[in-house]
Amino acid sequence: MKRAWWQEAVGYEIYPRTFYDSNGDGVGDLPGIINKLDYLRDLGVNLLWICPFFTSPMDDFGYDVADYMRVDPSFGTNDDFKVLLREAHARGIKIIIDFVLNHTSDEHRWFIEARKNRYSKERQYYIWKDPKYDEYGTMIPPNNWGSFFSESAWSYDEMAKQYYMHIFSKKMPDLNWENKTLRNQIYDVARYWLDLGVDGFRLDAIAHLAKDLTFKDSSQKANIEGYTLDMSKFSSIPRLFEYLNEFKDEVLIKYPRIMTIGEVGGLASTDEALKYSNYKTGALNMVFNFDTCWENGAYGSEDKLDYQIVTNVKNLKHLFKKWYDACNGKAWLPLYWGNHDHPRVVSQYGSVRYRNESAKMLATTLLFMYGTPFIYNGEEIGMSNVDYTRITDFKDVSALNYARKASNRLSEEQIIRFLRRTSRVNARTPMQWDGSDNAGFTTGTPNQKVNGNFKTINVAAQEADSDSILNFYKTALKIRKDPSILNSVLEGLFELVEPDHADVFAYVHKGAKPLLVISNFRSYEVPFKLSYRVKTVLLHNYPSMEKRGLMLQLRPFESYLLELDPGTSL
Ligand code: NOJ
């Protein structure tokens, strides 16, 4: 079967703010990425997703865009981006950029005009409602919808004398996708970047463009402040697919070489995912949902102690299988453990104590499944969650909003424990390049505090160590790219092995070259029956195989990629 380039690619997500700072101002930048392109090529990735680098007041570090067509000065210039694109392409690396279509910054000129002038065309670009009044005559928001960032989804604007809707921070007003002029403006932005040569988009918060236009209250119980986060009011609503089809017809289809990947949080089901990305009528090439990201119970674990946070391996593997079953032959899938909004996977599904073993195990498990893998920057050296001891170190609007609201029911210690387990700041500490000051990320003061383990966990140390996580990733990616292996990975039927096993995630690909992955997700030894004839050990994170008869004695986080004898019965 002929595959598109993005089906064979290996993706790598860059959070530019903390990737590499080339000019010592403490903020990572585009020239910093250019500087690291050889590193990325040598790692074996060939598709970069770069988080937003457009002009922004940085309330949400770039997801609050004030000018879609200009690079924020802290990240460099538009010319820097052109150089980055050229240099990446020269190394066989494609670049997709992060396109934020659900909202702008409140400092975008559209919103500035909209607030000022009720009769301007820009007023219609956003979602405005008149206030309601409670029984005491106090002004209250038009409904009880809450935002993702621990606030009401409505803020009153004194100048406009109306409430505007924002499902993220109050500095990120939602766009009104019902308005065709607005949609055309967005399409112009898309064309601008596509004409410049970008290879596609990661489409931010795409599930939320359409809202329940009745704006009726949610029937969920509101909190004491009168709101509740009810994602059904603005997630995967049927009208959304009309917007996306129009975007496809008017823009995307005209650039057949590109790829698109939508971020569809909001608990999208597999059926909904197929609506976005099925090969025949979907507007997008694939979608990120986050089903597989929280299978250790960390989400909502405020009152739990660390030892109570345990990976539910059975659920985890069945979720991967569920998505495969729903999409195989019908839609493409991305593969990822996390991203800039999630904790570090080594802390989540692996173990800091067994960092080396567990990071390699996680790599093996993910990289040989069906789909296009996305490695999040730092994952390839086993970076882990923060060691912060002060709430103020968690520089992030959603973490700080949460901490403020939680402070009346939780102690500071509980809040920090929860944030160290769940906050997206865990993924946003500076990339650890070497053991020098600030992990070699900047010569200035880093915008986000460096993880205290950088002296031992860093790229330079791992480049020098043939047994490092980094070198393991390089080997794994070379194996994945071998055409006969890739064929089995992408086309061989994917089946779980011992699907009910509570500790081991094992699967086969029944391709011309049958492959078996066996991964122990525990920090203790687990026996596992090897029921197939093995031809070769392709990848292994321990120096030797421990086997008693047909039983493998899997050590902590031990993991294998095995090529099976083609004659073995599967
Ligand atoms: C999803 C992005 O990944 C996240 O970082 C951001 O805060 C929200 N969308 C809002 O743009």
Side-chain angles (χ1 to χ4, degrees):
M1 193 182 95
K2 174 127 179 50
R3 292 188 285 257
W5 64 266
W6 42 265
Q7 295 178 307
E8 298 192 343
V10 177
Y12 185 93
E13 181 194 350
I14 293 183
Y15 193 67
R17 212 176 142 72
T18 47
F19 188 64
Y20 185 60
D21 172 20
S22 72
N23 61 0
D25 65 357
V27 179
D29 45 43
L30 300 181
I33 302 177
I34 298 171
N35 192 290
K36 298 296 179 186
L37 284 173
D38 287 343
Y39 166 79
L40 295 165
R41 179 201 50 207
D42 296 347
L43 171 62
V45 301
N46 51 10
L47 164 63
L48 303 182
W49 151 25
I50 307 179
C51 292
F53 47 77
F54 317 103
T55 307
S56 164
M58 303 293 163
D59 185 57
D60 191 18
F61 297 138
Y63 282 94
D64 47 326
V65 180
D67 184 344
Y68 284 105
M69 304 215 203
R70 204 164 292 284
V71 171
D72 189 90
S74 65
F75 290 125
T77 63
N78 285 38
D79 282 340
D80 290 332
F81 183 73
K82 290 178 195 160
V83 177
L84 170 58
L85 203 53
R86 195 177 64 226
E87 291 294 318
H89 286 167
R91 288 166 178 78
I93 297 175
K94 311 251 191 202
I95 293 190
I96 60 172
I97 61 171
D98 211 318
F99 194 7
V100 187
L101 307 82
N102 180 68
H103 45 268
T104 66
S105 161
D106 64 347
E107 297 182 32
H108 193 290
R109 65 183 165 75
W110 298 339
F111 193 73
I112 294 173
E113 191 54 36
R115 297 173 65 199
K116 272 204 306 234
N117 184 353
R118 190 180 265 265
Y119 303 102
S120 62
K121 69 174 185 315
E122 288 82 1
R123 182 76 156 213
Q124 307 303 321
Y125 290 2
Y126 297 89
I127 301 168
W128 299 94
K129 291 275 168 232
D130 288 331
K132 285 207 308 203
Y133 293 88
D134 66 13
E135 65 263 41
Y136 307 105
T138 311
M139 192 169 76
I140 54 169
N143 65 30
N144 67 358
W145 298 0
S147 78
F148 286 105
F149 287 177
S150 309
E151 291 173 318
S152 162
W154 298 93
S155 285
Y156 186 69
D157 187 80
E158 282 296 344
M159 201 187 290
K161 301 272 179 271
Q162 279 191 306
Y163 277 91
Y164 62 91
M165 186 177 177
H166 56 87
I167 63 170
F168 296 97
S169 96
K170 45 163 75 74
K171 280 186 67 62
M172 298 156 80
D174 277 46
L175 288 166
N176 173 17
W177 270 72
E178 280 294 292
N179 184 279
K180 175 65 176 147
T181 318
L182 175 268
R183 300 204 297 275
N184 288 343
Q185 295 265 17
I186 294 283
Y187 302 158
D188 282 345
V189 175
R191 289 188 197 101
Y192 170 79
W193 291 103
L194 292 170
D195 290 340
L196 215 65
V198 302
D199 301 293
F201 299 119
R202 178 264 188 187
L203 298 161
D204 184 68
I206 199 78
H208 308 306
L209 303 190
K211 327 288 183 204
D212 171 355
L213 295 175
T214 67
F215 293 100
K216 284 199 183 125
D217 273 345
S218 163
S219 52
Q220 289 179 184
K221 190 172 167 347
N223 65 9
I224 192 159
E225 290 172 64
Y227 61 83
T228 172
L229 174 58
D230 180 350
M231 290 188 255
S232 72
K233 298 292 183 190
F234 39 76
S235 301
S236 301
I237 285 185
R239 182 90 172 111
L240 168 66
F241 299 95
E242 294 172 32
Y243 302 151
L244 292 180
N245 284 336
E246 182 185 274
F247 183 28
K248 174 182 167 188
D249 294 341
E250 293 196 20
V251 184
L252 301 175
I253 218 159
K254 314 228 160 92
Y255 299 83
R257 60 178 176 81
I258 64 159
M259 69 157 284
T260 49
I261 177 159
E263 186 211 22
V264 301
L267 308 177
S269 66
T270 49
D271 281 349
E272 280 162 346
L274 285 170
K275 283 202 212 162
Y276 289 97
S277 59
N278 79 78
Y279 294 141
K280 289 197 186 121
T281 59
L284 310 178
N285 294 129
M286 50 184 140
V287 291
F288 287 119
N289 73 89
F290 300 107
D291 266 14
T292 49
C293 290
W294 293 105
E295 280 307 319
N296 64 342
Y299 206 77
S301 66
E302 282 171 337
D303 49 3
K304 288 206 180 127
L305 298 172
D306 284 344
Y307 78 89
Q308 294 172 299
I309 305 295
V310 180
T311 304
N312 188 328
V313 181
K314 201 170 148 188
N315 278 0
L316 182 66
K317 60 189 169 182
H318 281 279
L319 283 169
F320 276 103
K321 180 74 164 93
K322 176 177 106 174
W323 280 88
Y324 170 81
D325 285 343
C327 294
N328 182 31
K330 297 189 192 134
W332 201 251
L333 281 173
L335 292 167
Y336 49 91
W337 284 126
N339 62 29
H340 65 286
D341 290 330
H342 289 267
R344 290 277 178 186
V345 68
V346 164
S347 303
Q348 198 159 16
Y349 294 152
S351 150
V352 172
R353 180 161 160 232
Y354 290 101
R355 185 187 309 266
N356 207 32
E357 294 80 359
S358 66
K360 292 175 181 175
M361 178 282 282
L362 290 162
T364 307
T365 312
L366 191 80
L367 294 177
F368 294 93
M369 280 194 274
Y370 165 91
T372 300
F374 282 84
I375 299 164
Y376 178 66
N377 60 199
E379 199 169 300
E380 75 275 23
I381 56 167
M383 281 177 65
S384 47
N385 283 355
V386 295
D387 46 3
Y388 296 167
T389 49
R390 291 178 313 190
I391 291 179
T392 47
D393 284 335
F394 290 85
K395 288 192 194 152
D396 166 41
V397 58
S398 78
L400 295 176
N401 276 357
Y402 161 80
R404 192 161 28 83
K405 297 275 159 102
S407 61
N408 55 14
R409 51 188 179 85
L410 299 178
S411 68
E412 189 175 339
E413 195 190 335
Q414 281 172 313
I415 293 175
I416 292 173
R417 185 181 67 195
F418 186 66
L419 290 175
R420 281 170 63 155
R421 199 182 277 159
T422 57
S423 163
R424 56 192 196 166
V425 175
N426 288 300
R428 298 178 177 192
T429 58
M431 178 74 185
Q432 294 168 200
W433 293 106
D434 58 40
S436 68
D437 287 354
N438 304 319
F441 157 69
T442 180
T443 52
T445 307
N447 64 79
Q448 183 71 52
K449 196 171 155 196
V450 175
N451 192 312
N453 62 21
F454 72 91
K455 287 216 184 295
T456 46
I457 314 302
N458 63 63
V459 170
Q462 296 201 16
E463 277 177 335
D465 171 7
S466 61
D467 189 37
S468 66
I469 302 167
L470 180 61
N471 279 313
F472 189 89
Y473 264 88
K474 290 185 188 175
T475 307
L477 292 178
K478 277 200 195 99
I479 295 174
R480 184 183 159 99
K481 281 187 194 146
D482 175 311
S484 60
I485 304 250
L486 194 61
N487 273 342
S488 285
V489 166
L490 299 183
E491 276 153 41
L493 196 68
F494 169 80
E495 296 274 10
L496 294 177
V497 176
E498 293 210 34
D500 293 332
H501 202 295
D503 305 314
V504 174
F505 186 159
Y507 59 84
V508 280
H509 285 291
K510 301 181 171 178
K513 200 174 242 192
L515 299 172
L516 170 64
V517 168
I518 303 172
S519 293
N520 177 13
F521 269 68
R522 301 297 181 212
S523 56
Y524 43 84
E525 292 203 358
V526 175
F528 190 79
K529 186 161 169 227
L530 186 58
S531 335
Y532 307 102
R533 281 205 312 277
V534 174
K535 186 169 164 207
T536 329
V537 177
L538 293 173
L539 199 57
H540 185 200
N541 59 352
Y542 275 77
S544 61
M545 186 184 256
E546 281 271 311
K547 203 162 153 243
R548 294 187 201 129
L550 285 181
M551 290 309 277
L552 283 173
Q553 190 63 21
L554 296 174
R555 287 156 285 191
F557 299 101
E558 187 165 6
S559 176
Y560 289 95
L561 168 68
L562 303 167
E563 184 183 334
L564 299 177
D565 190 311
T568 197
S569 67
L570 289 170

